Amino acid sequence: SGADGKDACGEEEEEEEDGASGGGEEAEEEGDSGEGTEEEDEDAEEEHDSDFEELDEEQEGKQKKGSSEKQVAALCISVGSFSDPEDLPGLAHFLEHMVFMGSEKYPAENGFDAFLKKHGGSDNASTDCERTIFQFDVQRKYFREALDRWAQFFICPLMIEDAIDREVEAVDSEYQLARPSDSHRKEMLFGSLARPKHPMGKFCWGNAQTLKHEPREKQINTYQRLRDFWKRYYSAHYMTLTVQSKETLNTLEEWVREVFSKVLPSTMAPSPVEPFKDQFSKYLHLTIILRSTQTAWFVLVSPCRVKPLHYISWLIGHEGAGSILSLLRKKCWALALFGGNSETGFDQNTTYSIFSISITLTDEGFQNFHQVVHLVFQYMKMLQTLGPQQRIYEEIQKIEANEFHYQEQTDPIEYVENICENMQLFPKEDFLTGDQLMFEYNPEVISLALALLTPERANLLLLSPEHEGYCSHKEKWFGTNYSMEDLPEEWARRWAGDFDLNPDLHLPAENKFIATDFTLKPSDCPDTEVPVRILNNERGCLWFKKDNKFKIPKAYVRFNLLSPMIQKSPENLVLFDIFVNILAHNLAEPAYEADVAQLEYKLIAGEHGLVIRVKGFNHKLPLLLNLIVDHLADFTAEPGVFNMFAEQLKKTYFNILIKPERLGKDVRLLILEHCRWSVIQKYQAIMKGLTVDDLMTFVSGLKAQLYTEGLVQGNFTSTESMKFLQYFIDKLQFKRLSVEVPVLFRVVELPQKPHLCKVKSLNKGDANSEVTVYYQVPNVQRRKCQTHVSLLFRLHRGGRGGNI
């Protein structure tokens, strides 16, 4: 965001990609892969009070409810940066900023922003390649006036000439913030390689150079060109509008007609051409932080009810048996894969669609880059040979229909934005569902798209920090260093011929995790406000609450497998972290079908035990939980996998130690908790060297004695819920603990006087510091527990923060 809060050209944020992700950055953030260590997961932090999570969710629910009380509107104009004049790059983005600068009817500069802030509202706008979207929200009683003020952007904006220089600085600041982004750097690089005069090669962001300095040197009147651009493109026939309010439909229609009837039509824009004149079959080296490879195709696939690229991306991004990622993981060549089209303006527009496959490589995978790409081409050739599969298409339809029918309330602003954009892309009957559902199975359309995804049409990118100094070219606007070479003759010859298919690659089997029974279960016990304990014995207990409020066919299940063995030594803690990561790794392939069927699971290395969480449609949720327990009971670890995660944990512990806020937190918890091993001790333990035999000995001891505590909430009966705990006991065959169950939520009661602990940062190159002020208020009768308040200050050396 720039100075005035408007979003930059392109996306407002990183969009969720269309297509299956093989555990890329998003999966690492959200933990969908199930992997996690004590240091990486919020659930294992500090006081571990599970009440905090529920309170946060309750507060989030209140915020959502509050946002739904606001009235919202979004307007999409089918014009964007592709329409920028050649001599004024970034003009469409700049115009998006300038229309906020007052109107003939409401002349106050930024008056609309001030009006919304006064009445609890907000606004934003974004410029993409072929679309510009404006949106706002406000309290209900001010909605009519807000609509009128907002409509003036498109009727009679002042676009004050004196404001141009100030607003150019806002555009320039957005450009400067975007420059470090790897995704934006790749886009601009691709654009720079397109044929001359193609809109893909335009500098869509704009900056002070293109909008201020160069126009002055060339005696270009930016102000007049801005008004000409607005007059031509901010036209009624380019616009779609969505409003959401608690007013009646008749009232809303009346308001819209009154307010927007003065928006006039203009002339049409010219049709653009394809981006590349010749087949583009070279590969690029880029200097980027991550080691990864990307294969991209430029094809022309218009949005339609068949959604061929979505079908293909579902198969490319699959992680189950027979998939690209499954085979790469077995070879220890890759960690993650994404395949598909992001549906952003740069990835999909009227001139081309980008279908890309991005793979995060291991060191060994980086050395075998061409073999990795060959596997991708083999899989693509298999899809072309077998042709479209109706069974798979219908599975995707069912999964997405289930998600659509039982989706939770979305953010109102995001909702109206999506609809007004859908109105540009889909027929009227699909305005509400076009971006979420697949409608018509048409093998001919899918086959046509598949036929375009051949090796000779592919563009290969190899991204690595090791290319530093090797890349001789530099992209003009974002400064990306790159080199471009012809493909090695051996691989070019192989890919040009009729190469063999790989027998280890095959289509996914039928998905047994797709829910088909959405019946609400009858209650078999008294309704309660909070979960009650329905089972309690020496090996575990179970808490239960039937959902009689939301009445949806979903459930949430959580089990804590507690053991005092974990905290016996730093070595045990390290082995436990490795164990949880390898267990998640072993589950990644068999549990992937559950993940795509909207069942979620997560494994967490808690402080005193393994936490297993599953949620989703209750019909097939027991299948997923049983799968996790089966893999826990039959746990195995390959030496190569063990070494891979051991190396990964070394980096994880090291990164914690060099960050002042993480080190400070670790030291504070060392003071507060009776028995806690420091991250330094864990790092020393893993650096000494641990083996697979050490791990298997630890896991055997861990599973021998456990205490299992579970919680089941949602659309299950108490009788069904008790079977979950029994399955743990029967499958794991563990004995009761010989010692007391570990206490989870206990800290030292501090003496009633101030204490100061100073720790020197272990990273000499980091100028950041941290101050944490920790308050402990004992004997709060209402909660009958300690109350803790931590205040965190992050300081920069030499900054004003030193005065705190």
PDB file of all heavy atoms in Angstrom, residues 40 84 119 132 141 172 216 282 324 390 408 489 586 595 601 617 682 744 761 769 772 778 800:
ATOM      1  N   GLU A  40       7.924 -23.875  15.823  1.00  0.00           N
ATOM      2  CA  GLU A  40       7.268 -23.341  14.638  1.00  0.00           C
ATOM      3  C   GLU A  40       5.787 -23.142  14.830  1.00  0.00           C
ATOM      4  O   GLU A  40       5.147 -22.504  14.016  1.00  0.00           O
ATOM      5  CB  GLU A  40       7.492 -24.289  13.457  1.00  0.00           C
ATOM      6  CG  GLU A  40       8.944 -24.377  13.026  1.00  0.00           C
ATOM      7  CD  GLU A  40       9.148 -25.480  12.017  1.00  0.00           C
ATOM      8  OE1 GLU A  40       8.520 -26.532  12.142  1.00  0.00           O
ATOM      9  OE2 GLU A  40       9.925 -25.269  11.096  1.00  0.00           O
ATOM     10  N   ASP A  84      -2.195   1.188 -21.035  1.00  0.00           N
ATOM     11  CA  ASP A  84      -1.303   2.342 -20.847  1.00  0.00           C
ATOM     12  C   ASP A  84      -0.727   2.800 -22.184  1.00  0.00           C
ATOM     13  O   ASP A  84      -0.318   1.966 -23.009  1.00  0.00           O
ATOM     14  CB  ASP A  84      -0.128   1.974 -19.925  1.00  0.00           C
ATOM     15  CG  ASP A  84      -0.516   1.933 -18.462  1.00  0.00           C
ATOM     16  OD1 ASP A  84      -1.594   2.434 -18.126  1.00  0.00           O
ATOM     17  OD2 ASP A  84       0.272   1.377 -17.665  1.00  0.00           O
ATOM     18  N   HIS A 119     -17.337   7.571   9.494  1.00  0.00           N
ATOM     19  CA  HIS A 119     -18.511   6.719   9.678  1.00  0.00           C
ATOM     20  C   HIS A 119     -18.160   5.226   9.656  1.00  0.00           C
ATOM     21  O   HIS A 119     -18.946   4.392   9.202  1.00  0.00           O
ATOM     22  CB  HIS A 119     -19.547   7.033   8.599  1.00  0.00           C
ATOM     23  CG  HIS A 119     -19.991   8.464   8.609  1.00  0.00           C
ATOM     24  ND1 HIS A 119     -20.593   9.044   9.713  1.00  0.00           N
ATOM     25  CD2 HIS A 119     -19.890   9.457   7.676  1.00  0.00           C
ATOM     26  CE1 HIS A 119     -20.859  10.315   9.446  1.00  0.00           C
ATOM     27  NE2 HIS A 119     -20.441  10.587   8.221  1.00  0.00           N
ATOM     28  N   THR A 132      -9.631  -2.740 -13.418  1.00  0.00           N
ATOM     29  CA  THR A 132      -9.392  -1.878 -12.262  1.00  0.00           C
ATOM     30  C   THR A 132     -10.609  -1.999 -11.351  1.00  0.00           C
ATOM     31  O   THR A 132     -11.745  -1.889 -11.824  1.00  0.00           O
ATOM     32  CB  THR A 132      -9.209  -0.409 -12.692  1.00  0.00           C
ATOM     33  OG1 THR A 132      -8.121  -0.327 -13.625  1.00  0.00           O
ATOM     34  CG2 THR A 132      -8.909   0.472 -11.497  1.00  0.00           C
ATOM     35  N   LYS A 141     -26.474   3.457   7.637  1.00  0.00           N
ATOM     36  CA  LYS A 141     -27.242   4.689   7.465  1.00  0.00           C
ATOM     37  C   LYS A 141     -26.513   5.718   6.599  1.00  0.00           C
ATOM     38  O   LYS A 141     -27.096   6.714   6.198  1.00  0.00           O
ATOM     39  CB  LYS A 141     -27.627   5.289   8.813  1.00  0.00           C
ATOM     40  CG  LYS A 141     -26.480   5.768   9.677  1.00  0.00           C
ATOM     41  CD  LYS A 141     -27.050   6.355  10.972  1.00  0.00           C
ATOM     42  CE  LYS A 141     -25.962   6.862  11.906  1.00  0.00           C
ATOM     43  NZ  LYS A 141     -26.545   7.465  13.128  1.00  0.00           N
ATOM     44  N   ASP A 172       4.985   5.877  -6.701  1.00  0.00           N
ATOM     45  CA  ASP A 172       6.397   5.483  -6.671  1.00  0.00           C
ATOM     46  C   ASP A 172       6.723   4.675  -5.418  1.00  0.00           C
ATOM     47  O   ASP A 172       7.509   3.721  -5.472  1.00  0.00           O
ATOM     48  CB  ASP A 172       7.280   6.736  -6.733  1.00  0.00           C
ATOM     49  CG  ASP A 172       8.744   6.399  -6.923  1.00  0.00           C
ATOM     50  OD1 ASP A 172       9.121   6.017  -8.046  1.00  0.00           O
ATOM     51  OD2 ASP A 172       9.511   6.481  -5.935  1.00  0.00           O
ATOM     52  N   ARG A 216       8.206  15.372 -18.280  1.00  0.00           N
ATOM     53  CA  ARG A 216       8.678  16.759 -18.304  1.00  0.00           C
ATOM     54  C   ARG A 216       9.771  16.943 -19.352  1.00  0.00           C
ATOM     55  O   ARG A 216       9.795  17.935 -20.081  1.00  0.00           O
ATOM     56  CB  ARG A 216       9.198  17.157 -16.921  1.00  0.00           C
ATOM     57  CG  ARG A 216       8.080  17.413 -15.923  1.00  0.00           C
ATOM     58  CD  ARG A 216       8.623  17.795 -14.558  1.00  0.00           C
ATOM     59  NE  ARG A 216       7.520  18.028 -13.620  1.00  0.00           N
ATOM     60  CZ  ARG A 216       7.695  18.227 -12.311  1.00  0.00           C
ATOM     61  NH1 ARG A 216       8.926  18.213 -11.804  1.00  0.00           N
ATOM     62  NH2 ARG A 216       6.653  18.426 -11.525  1.00  0.00           N
ATOM     63  N   LYS A 282      13.729 -21.498 -24.577  1.00  0.00           N
ATOM     64  CA  LYS A 282      15.030 -21.301 -23.948  1.00  0.00           C
ATOM     65  C   LYS A 282      14.842 -21.464 -22.441  1.00  0.00           C
ATOM     66  O   LYS A 282      13.737 -21.651 -21.967  1.00  0.00           O
ATOM     67  CB  LYS A 282      15.570 -19.908 -24.257  1.00  0.00           C
ATOM     68  CG  LYS A 282      15.814 -19.650 -25.746  1.00  0.00           C
ATOM     69  CD  LYS A 282      16.310 -18.241 -25.965  1.00  0.00           C
ATOM     70  CE  LYS A 282      16.505 -17.963 -27.451  1.00  0.00           C
ATOM     71  NZ  LYS A 282      17.610 -18.734 -28.024  1.00  0.00           N
ATOM     72  N   ILE A 324       3.753 -36.362  -9.819  1.00  0.00           N
ATOM     73  CA  ILE A 324       5.105 -35.830 -10.027  1.00  0.00           C
ATOM     74  C   ILE A 324       5.809 -35.639  -8.687  1.00  0.00           C
ATOM     75  O   ILE A 324       6.940 -36.077  -8.484  1.00  0.00           O
ATOM     76  CB  ILE A 324       5.045 -34.488 -10.782  1.00  0.00           C
ATOM     77  CG1 ILE A 324       4.420 -34.657 -12.162  1.00  0.00           C
ATOM     78  CG2 ILE A 324       6.447 -33.886 -10.913  1.00  0.00           C
ATOM     79  CD1 ILE A 324       4.147 -33.329 -12.875  1.00  0.00           C
ATOM     80  N   GLN A 390     -13.413 -38.458 -17.236  1.00  0.00           N
ATOM     81  CA  GLN A 390     -14.668 -37.961 -16.682  1.00  0.00           C
ATOM     82  C   GLN A 390     -14.761 -38.230 -15.186  1.00  0.00           C
ATOM     83  O   GLN A 390     -15.283 -37.404 -14.432  1.00  0.00           O
ATOM     84  CB  GLN A 390     -15.857 -38.595 -17.406  1.00  0.00           C
ATOM     85  CG  GLN A 390     -17.202 -37.994 -16.994  1.00  0.00           C
ATOM     86  CD  GLN A 390     -18.329 -38.413 -17.905  1.00  0.00           C
ATOM     87  OE1 GLN A 390     -18.104 -39.094 -18.898  1.00  0.00           O
ATOM     88  NE2 GLN A 390     -19.545 -38.009 -17.579  1.00  0.00           N
ATOM     89  N   GLU A 408     -18.189 -21.086   4.832  1.00  0.00           N
ATOM     90  CA  GLU A 408     -18.467 -20.122   5.892  1.00  0.00           C
ATOM     91  C   GLU A 408     -18.615 -18.741   5.263  1.00  0.00           C
ATOM     92  O   GLU A 408     -18.228 -18.509   4.119  1.00  0.00           O
ATOM     93  CB  GLU A 408     -17.334 -20.129   6.919  1.00  0.00           C
ATOM     94  CG  GLU A 408     -17.209 -21.463   7.639  1.00  0.00           C
ATOM     95  CD  GLU A 408     -16.071 -21.468   8.648  1.00  0.00           C
ATOM     96  OE1 GLU A 408     -15.445 -20.400   8.830  1.00  0.00           O
ATOM     97  OE2 GLU A 408     -15.814 -22.523   9.225  1.00  0.00           O
ATOM     98  N   GLU A 489      21.844 -29.408 -26.089  1.00  0.00           N
ATOM     99  CA  GLU A 489      21.439 -30.150 -27.287  1.00  0.00           C
ATOM    100  C   GLU A 489      20.865 -31.518 -26.953  1.00  0.00           C
ATOM    101  O   GLU A 489      19.877 -31.961 -27.560  1.00  0.00           O
ATOM    102  CB  GLU A 489      22.655 -30.296 -28.215  1.00  0.00           C
ATOM    103  CG  GLU A 489      22.314 -30.930 -29.558  1.00  0.00           C
ATOM    104  CD  GLU A 489      23.508 -30.975 -30.489  1.00  0.00           C
ATOM    105  OE1 GLU A 489      24.467 -30.208 -30.259  1.00  0.00           O
ATOM    106  OE2 GLU A 489      23.490 -31.791 -31.420  1.00  0.00           O
ATOM    107  N   ASN A 586       5.504 -39.015   6.095  1.00  0.00           N
ATOM    108  CA  ASN A 586       4.948 -40.320   5.717  1.00  0.00           C
ATOM    109  C   ASN A 586       3.466 -40.236   5.365  1.00  0.00           C
ATOM    110  O   ASN A 586       2.964 -41.018   4.559  1.00  0.00           O
ATOM    111  CB  ASN A 586       5.149 -41.329   6.854  1.00  0.00           C
ATOM    112  CG  ASN A 586       6.612 -41.658   7.104  1.00  0.00           C
ATOM    113  OD1 ASN A 586       7.480 -41.337   6.273  1.00  0.00           O
ATOM    114  ND2 ASN A 586       6.909 -42.264   8.236  1.00  0.00           N
ATOM    115  N   ASP A 595      -7.016 -34.223   2.113  1.00  0.00           N
ATOM    116  CA  ASP A 595      -6.785 -32.775   2.102  1.00  0.00           C
ATOM    117  C   ASP A 595      -7.562 -32.101   0.979  1.00  0.00           C
ATOM    118  O   ASP A 595      -8.203 -31.067   1.191  1.00  0.00           O
ATOM    119  CB  ASP A 595      -5.283 -32.519   1.961  1.00  0.00           C
ATOM    120  CG  ASP A 595      -4.929 -31.053   2.070  1.00  0.00           C
ATOM    121  OD1 ASP A 595      -5.352 -30.404   3.033  1.00  0.00           O
ATOM    122  OD2 ASP A 595      -4.232 -30.543   1.173  1.00  0.00           O
ATOM    123  N   TYR A 601      -5.941 -31.734   8.496  1.00  0.00           N
ATOM    124  CA  TYR A 601      -5.273 -32.365   9.641  1.00  0.00           C
ATOM    125  C   TYR A 601      -3.983 -31.614   9.945  1.00  0.00           C
ATOM    126  O   TYR A 601      -3.417 -30.939   9.090  1.00  0.00           O
ATOM    127  CB  TYR A 601      -4.980 -33.838   9.358  1.00  0.00           C
ATOM    128  CG  TYR A 601      -3.817 -34.082   8.415  1.00  0.00           C
ATOM    129  CD1 TYR A 601      -2.540 -34.372   8.894  1.00  0.00           C
ATOM    130  CD2 TYR A 601      -3.991 -34.023   7.038  1.00  0.00           C
ATOM    131  CE1 TYR A 601      -1.484 -34.609   8.038  1.00  0.00           C
ATOM    132  CE2 TYR A 601      -2.942 -34.252   6.164  1.00  0.00           C
ATOM    133  CZ  TYR A 601      -1.684 -34.546   6.671  1.00  0.00           C
ATOM    134  OH  TYR A 601      -0.636 -34.764   5.815  1.00  0.00           O
ATOM    135  N   PHE A 617     -15.792 -32.328   7.008  1.00  0.00           N
ATOM    136  CA  PHE A 617     -17.048 -33.064   6.934  1.00  0.00           C
ATOM    137  C   PHE A 617     -16.940 -34.340   7.758  1.00  0.00           C
ATOM    138  O   PHE A 617     -16.016 -35.136   7.582  1.00  0.00           O
ATOM    139  CB  PHE A 617     -17.377 -33.400   5.478  1.00  0.00           C
ATOM    140  CG  PHE A 617     -17.698 -32.204   4.636  1.00  0.00           C
ATOM    141  CD1 PHE A 617     -16.841 -31.784   3.626  1.00  0.00           C
ATOM    142  CD2 PHE A 617     -18.859 -31.479   4.858  1.00  0.00           C
ATOM    143  CE1 PHE A 617     -17.134 -30.678   2.852  1.00  0.00           C
ATOM    144  CE2 PHE A 617     -19.164 -30.359   4.093  1.00  0.00           C
ATOM    145  CZ  PHE A 617     -18.303 -29.959   3.084  1.00  0.00           C
ATOM    146  N   LYS A 682      19.178 -27.742  22.540  1.00  0.00           N
ATOM    147  CA  LYS A 682      18.660 -28.576  21.463  1.00  0.00           C
ATOM    148  C   LYS A 682      19.576 -28.499  20.243  1.00  0.00           C
ATOM    149  O   LYS A 682      19.836 -29.510  19.571  1.00  0.00           O
ATOM    150  CB  LYS A 682      17.231 -28.146  21.102  1.00  0.00           C
ATOM    151  CG  LYS A 682      16.220 -28.442  22.200  1.00  0.00           C
ATOM    152  CD  LYS A 682      14.888 -27.765  21.946  1.00  0.00           C
ATOM    153  CE  LYS A 682      14.138 -28.400  20.803  1.00  0.00           C
ATOM    154  NZ  LYS A 682      12.763 -27.845  20.675  1.00  0.00           N
ATOM    155  N   LEU A 744       0.536 -29.232  32.016  1.00  0.00           N
ATOM    156  CA  LEU A 744       0.797 -28.472  30.800  1.00  0.00           C
ATOM    157  C   LEU A 744       0.940 -26.975  31.045  1.00  0.00           C
ATOM    158  O   LEU A 744       1.669 -26.297  30.342  1.00  0.00           O
ATOM    159  CB  LEU A 744      -0.341 -28.706  29.792  1.00  0.00           C
ATOM    160  CG  LEU A 744      -0.524 -30.138  29.306  1.00  0.00           C
ATOM    161  CD1 LEU A 744      -1.600 -30.179  28.236  1.00  0.00           C
ATOM    162  CD2 LEU A 744       0.772 -30.690  28.734  1.00  0.00           C
ATOM    163  N   SER A 761      22.523 -10.423  21.717  1.00  0.00           N
ATOM    164  CA  SER A 761      22.101 -11.096  20.483  1.00  0.00           C
ATOM    165  C   SER A 761      23.239 -11.941  19.927  1.00  0.00           C
ATOM    166  O   SER A 761      24.415 -11.551  19.980  1.00  0.00           O
ATOM    167  CB  SER A 761      21.669 -10.062  19.438  1.00  0.00           C
ATOM    168  OG  SER A 761      21.422 -10.686  18.202  1.00  0.00           O
ATOM    169  N   SER A 769      16.878  -5.070  18.174  1.00  0.00           N
ATOM    170  CA  SER A 769      16.889  -5.510  19.566  1.00  0.00           C
ATOM    171  C   SER A 769      15.457  -5.749  20.008  1.00  0.00           C
ATOM    172  O   SER A 769      14.508  -5.441  19.286  1.00  0.00           O
ATOM    173  CB  SER A 769      17.534  -4.452  20.463  1.00  0.00           C
ATOM    174  OG  SER A 769      18.848  -4.167  20.033  1.00  0.00           O
ATOM    175  N   THR A 772      11.161  -7.134  26.294  1.00  0.00           N
ATOM    176  CA  THR A 772       9.893  -7.727  26.710  1.00  0.00           C
ATOM    177  C   THR A 772       9.655  -7.372  28.175  1.00  0.00           C
ATOM    178  O   THR A 772      10.529  -7.595  29.015  1.00  0.00           O
ATOM    179  CB  THR A 772       9.909  -9.258  26.564  1.00  0.00           C
ATOM    180  OG1 THR A 772      10.113  -9.594  25.201  1.00  0.00           O
ATOM    181  CG2 THR A 772       8.594  -9.862  27.039  1.00  0.00           C
ATOM    182  N   PRO A 778      -0.837 -12.514  40.528  1.00  0.00           N
ATOM    183  CA  PRO A 778      -1.241 -13.780  41.151  1.00  0.00           C
ATOM    184  C   PRO A 778      -2.644 -13.725  41.763  1.00  0.00           C
ATOM    185  O   PRO A 778      -3.198 -12.662  42.030  1.00  0.00           O
ATOM    186  CB  PRO A 778      -0.188 -13.964  42.247  1.00  0.00           C
ATOM    187  CG  PRO A 778       0.208 -12.558  42.611  1.00  0.00           C
ATOM    188  CD  PRO A 778       0.115 -11.762  41.338  1.00  0.00           C
ATOM    189  N   ARG A 800      14.605   5.728  17.566  1.00  0.00           N
ATOM    190  CA  ARG A 800      13.994   6.437  18.689  1.00  0.00           C
ATOM    191  C   ARG A 800      13.524   5.465  19.749  1.00  0.00           C
ATOM    192  O   ARG A 800      13.253   5.839  20.869  1.00  0.00           O
ATOM    193  CB  ARG A 800      12.828   7.283  18.192  1.00  0.00           C
ATOM    194  CG  ARG A 800      13.275   8.518  17.420  1.00  0.00           C
ATOM    195  CD  ARG A 800      12.089   9.329  16.989  1.00  0.00           C
ATOM    196  NE  ARG A 800      11.240   8.588  16.071  1.00  0.00           N
ATOM    197  CZ  ARG A 800      10.041   8.999  15.689  1.00  0.00           C
ATOM    198  NH1 ARG A 800       9.565  10.128  16.137  1.00  0.00           N
ATOM    199  NH2 ARG A 800       9.332   8.281  14.845  1.00  0.00           N
TER     200      ARG A 800
END
